[in-house]
Amino acid sequence: MPKIVDHEARRRHIAEALLRIISRDGLDAVSLREVAAEAEVSMGMVQHYFSTKDEMLMFALAHLNARIGERVARAAAAGSPRALVRAGLLELLPLDEERAFEARIGLAYLARSVVAEDLAALLRAALPYVVGFYAEQIRTAQALGQVYAGLDAGKEATILFTMAQGMVNPALIGHLTPEQVEAAVDYQLDRLFPSR
Amino acid sequence: MPKIVDHEARRRHIAEALLRIISRDGLDAVSLREVAAEAEVSMGMVQHYFSTKDEMLMFALAHLNARIGERVARAAAAGSPRALVRAGLLELLPLDEERAFEARIGLAYLARSVVAEDLAALLRAALPYVVGFYAEQIRTAQALGQVYAGLDAGKEATILFTMAQGMVNPALIGHLTPEQVEAAVDYQLDRLFPSR
DNA sequence: CGTTTTACAATGCGAATGCATTGTAATTCG
DNA sequence: CGAATTACAATGCATTCGCATTGTAAAACG
């Protein structure tokens, strides 16, 4: 067998270049040649590690999700249910350059999921877990008396999540400042967790 | 001068074909040839009425906005501030085939606005009016004693709007049913307008 | 040492793209 | 009636695309 190469590392290297292109210029700007140039490798190498463009896009999405997942897990280390929910929501919002980088990519895939059934299936599978996490925290808070027991944890979770998702574009195009985004999140959270 | 032709009618005819393509197959599927085929006209005719593809995309967006605007205006005919806000929100959500058709297109343009500055500028200009409409209704309701005066109308409006926007994709891919979408909207509205 | 296998690099290719160009029929105006 | 203008239709063209093919160097293995 030939040269010693870390296969997965190469794939990640290429995937990161791909993500940079999506974040900077959108999904439309992705071509094998562009990816090769951005990754500073040959086009043949890109083809060597990904048999089709679609596979590459899927791998890059999984790679991104892993990255975000790690960050969320780290942010979710600290504290109360409210802090956990807040941290989880803010990780999805473009409040700094790192999160904006990811939010742009996420929105691109999100839009494509409307016409790409494989992406839609992925989302449908993942969403229950994401929203479920928020719902669970709210139920915990209800058990602790931090949230009024009469509230519908599932609906509250859905509202929080969709609100955050809906703020992504307005924040990215500059209609909402990071401060306004954070203030709106906290405003809704204050209502849910009246103790503060 | 030659043949009598309703210039604007032709442009609308082509734009509607364009919107159908976007809604069915996404923005990527739009090509001059596809549009011509969908509109059942020659490609030369498409070029005759739109000097560039970009101009066509912009015109189609304006056409769509006009359509939605009309529907919103019609829906906003009836009633209380709460009914107005509710109607305005529901018009943006894919609760039936007509609105789903439009929501798919809206999401496609929304995603592109992240990397297309002209679209972003359009959105930045339009958003204050849309969100402002909700805020205004909430302030009216506050004056009427239907909404607690201590609430921040601007933030409430932002939350309602972003929540609705954030539900578009989950609804389109089937994660949220139309019933769940409507229930979540009413749930948040119930909190805002406690009288019911 | 030679064979096999992996890791690329380079090039080729048909299809599709946006746009430009050219041609033509029809209608109005002087 | 002739000239000009408009409304198309048809085709050409350079570019870009994803992917296939081919070639080559290097390393492990018998």
Side-chain angles (χ1 to χ4, degrees), chain A residues 144-158:
Chain A
L144 294 173
Q146 296 170 4
V147 167
Y148 173 52
L151 296 181
D152 183 325
K155 285 202 182 71
E156 298 289 353
T158 295

Side-chain angles (χ1 to χ4, degrees), chain A residues 36-56:
Chain A
E38 177 74 28
E40 296 184 280
V41 300
S42 77
M43 192 179 144
M45 181 162 154
V46 173
Q47 282 188 280
H48 181 67
Y49 286 102
F50 297 100
S51 56
T52 68
K53 183 184 172 180
D54 238 59
E55 192 213 330
M56 184 170 60

